[in-house]
Amino acid sequence: MEEKIRIQPFDVTVSRVVQETHDTVTLYLEGKEPFRYKAGQFLTIDPHQFPPLKSLCAYYEQVKGRKEPPRAYSMASSPFEPELGVTVKEELYTKPEQTPYAPLLSPFLCYSVPAGMKMRVIGFTGPYVLDPETEQKTDHVVHVCAGSGIVPNFSILKQTLHDGLKVRQTMLYANKTYEEIIFRDELETLAKKYPHFKLIHTITREPEVSQYGPNYRKGRIGKELLDEFIGDRKTAQVYTCGPGITPFEARAARKAGTTPTPRFLETMLEDLKQLEVPKDNINYESYG
Ligand SMILES: Cc1cc2nc3c(=O)[nH]c(=O)nc-3n(C[C@H](O)[C@H](O)[C@H](O)COP(=O)(O)OP(=O)(O)OC[C@H]3O[C@@H](n4cnc5c(N)ncnc54)[C@H](O)[C@@H]3O)c2cc1C
C-alpha cells in the first residue's frame, strides 16, 4: 500500500540561494530529517514569521479584513535529488485599478532571504503528481506551462527521466522573453540527454525568436501548437500549470456581474477541451 505523507511543520535553514532569472530565485532548504514528498507537490510558507513583514501583515489584515494566509510554493527539486528546493518568482504590483494591495511574500522571498536564514515551512502536499499508472495508460506525457508554472513540472520531469519512465515526454513552455525562462539551461541539458524528451519554448514579447534555436516559437501556446505536439489526443496525459484567475478576480467579477478574464490556465483548459482531450487525461494546477 502507498505510504501516506503527513503534512507537518519543518524548521529549515536556507542552505543556498540560486538566482534563476532577474526576478526568480531557488531557495534550497536543509532540515533535521529527510524530506519526504512527491514530485509536483508544494509546501507553504507563512509570511507572519518574518520580522520585516510583521507590520505589513498587520496592516493588510486590518485593511483587507482577513488573516494573511500562508503562500504555496512547489518543489523545484525532485525526491531523488539530495537537496530540497523551492523556486519563487516575484509577483509584481501591476493592476492598481483592480486592487490597492501589493504582493506581500514573494518580493521578500526573492530579494531578502540570505543563505543561513532560518524559517518554518509546512509540507508536503498537493495532488498535482504523476499518475502511478502512466505507463499503462499512455505513451506520451505533455507538459504545458507558463512562467513559474514550470516549477512542479520540472520536478516531475526530472524524477520521471531519472526513474526511466517508459513514455515520451513533450514540454511546451511559454514566457514573455528569453531571459525570463526559468531552468533554461537545465531543460536544454535534459532535452539533449534524453531523446524521448522534446522541449518547445514559446516567447510572446520578442519580435525574433529563431535566433535562440529551432525549438523556439513566437507567440503564445494555443490550440494549434497543442494540436501539433500532443499527438494522440485520446491517450496523451497532459500536465498544465501556470497563472490562473485569482480568487480576488473571481470575487470582483461576481460582484460586478461579469466573468473574469481567462488567464493562461483557463485558456489552456478551454483549448484542450476544444481539441477533445478527455477531461480525465488533463491534470492542472492554478497559480491564481
Ligand atoms: C499550489 C500552488 C503552488 C504554487 N507554487 C508556486 C511556485 O512554485 N513559485 C511561485 O513563484 N509561485 C507559486 N505559487 C504562487 C504563490 O503561492 C503566491 O501566490 C505568489 O508568490 C504571490 O504571493 P504574494 O504574497 O507575493 O502575493 P499576494 O499578497 O498573495 O498577492 C497576490 C495578488 O493578489 C492581489 N491581492 C492581494 N490581496 C488582495 C485582496 N485582498 N484583494 C484583491 N487583490 C489582492 C495582489 O495585488 C497580487 O496581484 C503557487 C500557488 C499555488 C496555489
Side-chain angles (χ1 to χ4, degrees):
M1 209 174 69
E2 209 186 327
E3 195 188 356
K4 258 199 135 41
I5 302 172
R6 203 159 60 91
I7 302 171
Q8 56 183 310
F10 293 93
D11 290 316
V12 297
T13 305
V14 178
S15 54
R16 60 190 183 107
V17 179
V18 173
Q19 192 77 42
E20 303 286 359
T21 67
H22 75 282
D23 65 356
T24 303
V25 297
T26 297
L27 307 176
Y28 285 95
L29 308 174
E30 273 174 354
K32 283 209 182 74
E33 295 151 49
F35 300 116
R36 287 161 60 217
Y37 63 97
K38 290 184 189 163
Q41 289 193 309
F42 64 87
L43 52 74
T44 63
I45 304 180
D46 187 337
H48 294 89
Q49 65 185 300
F50 303 111
L53 296 184
K54 270 214 162 101
S55 291
L56 201 51
C57 281
Y59 171 70
Y60 274 170
E61 286 172 0
Q62 167 69 23
V63 291
K64 293 181 187 178
R66 62 160 213 168
K67 200 166 161 48
E68 283 294 348
R71 273 57 167 173
Y73 294 98
S74 306
M75 265 70 74
S77 55
S78 302
F80 79 91
E81 295 177 315
E83 290 179 288
L84 179 136
V86 290
T87 299
V88 184
K89 183 177 171 74
E90 180 197 18
E91 174 126 359
L92 275 181
Y93 184 52
T94 52
K95 293 182 183 150
E97 70 288 357
Q98 283 180 13
T99 170
Y101 312 122
L104 173 65
L105 183 59
S106 62
F108 175 78
L109 294 178
C110 283
Y111 302 115
S112 304
V113 172
M117 185 165 153
K118 294 187 187 317
M119 64 173 83
R120 174 163 276 207
V121 301
I122 297 176
F124 302 95
T125 189
Y128 189 69
V129 297
L130 193 84
D131 182 337
E133 291 178 14
T134 298
E135 284 178 339
Q136 288 79 58
K137 291 183 176 170
T138 190
D139 66 352
H140 193 197
V141 166
V142 184
H143 304 265
V144 184
C145 307
S148 60
I150 188 68
V151 180
N153 289 63
F154 184 51
S155 175
I156 294 170
L157 177 74
K158 283 186 294 176
Q159 185 68 41
T160 49
L161 293 175
H162 173 264
D163 291 347
L165 188 81
K166 290 189 196 65
V167 301
R168 64 192 178 95
Q169 301 197 55
T170 301
M171 176 172 279
L172 306 178
Y173 182 20
N175 279 283
K176 293 190 189 100
T177 65
Y178 179 77
E179 291 305 330
E180 283 177 84
I181 301 173
I182 306 171
F183 312 131
R184 196 178 61 219
D185 293 347
E186 293 92 327
L187 289 168
E188 230 39 90
T189 303
L190 290 172
K192 280 195 185 119
K193 183 170 173 191
Y194 296 97
H196 60 297
F197 166 50
K198 193 175 184 62
L199 174 63
I200 303 293
H201 290 287
T202 77
I203 305 281
T204 56
R205 295 206 186 157
E206 288 186 46
E208 185 47 63
V209 302
S210 58
Q211 56 177 314
Y212 301 126
N215 59 333
Y216 282 79
R217 301 288 182 93
K218 189 173 153 43
R220 296 172 190 277
I221 300 174
K223 226 166 36 180
E224 270 179 27
L225 200 74
L226 290 168
D227 194 25
E228 183 180 341
F229 288 103
I230 281 180
D232 183 349
R233 300 175 189 182
K234 293 285 168 247
T235 59
Q237 297 279 326
V238 180
Y239 289 77
T240 182
C241 182
I245 296 168
T246 68
F248 308 118
E249 289 167 338
R251 207 176 316 138
R254 265 198 311 277
K255 228 171 133 188
T258 56
T259 37
T261 311
R263 298 180 79 191
F264 171 80
L265 196 75
E266 292 78 24
T267 307
M268 291 305 100
L269 294 177
E270 181 55 34
D271 287 349
L272 291 166
K273 187 175 162 192
Q274 285 189 21
L275 288 171
E276 296 177 359
V277 174
K279 234 178 164 180
D280 285 352
N281 295 358
I282 303 170
N283 308 272
Y284 62 91
E285 183 143 271
S286 170
Y287 277 10

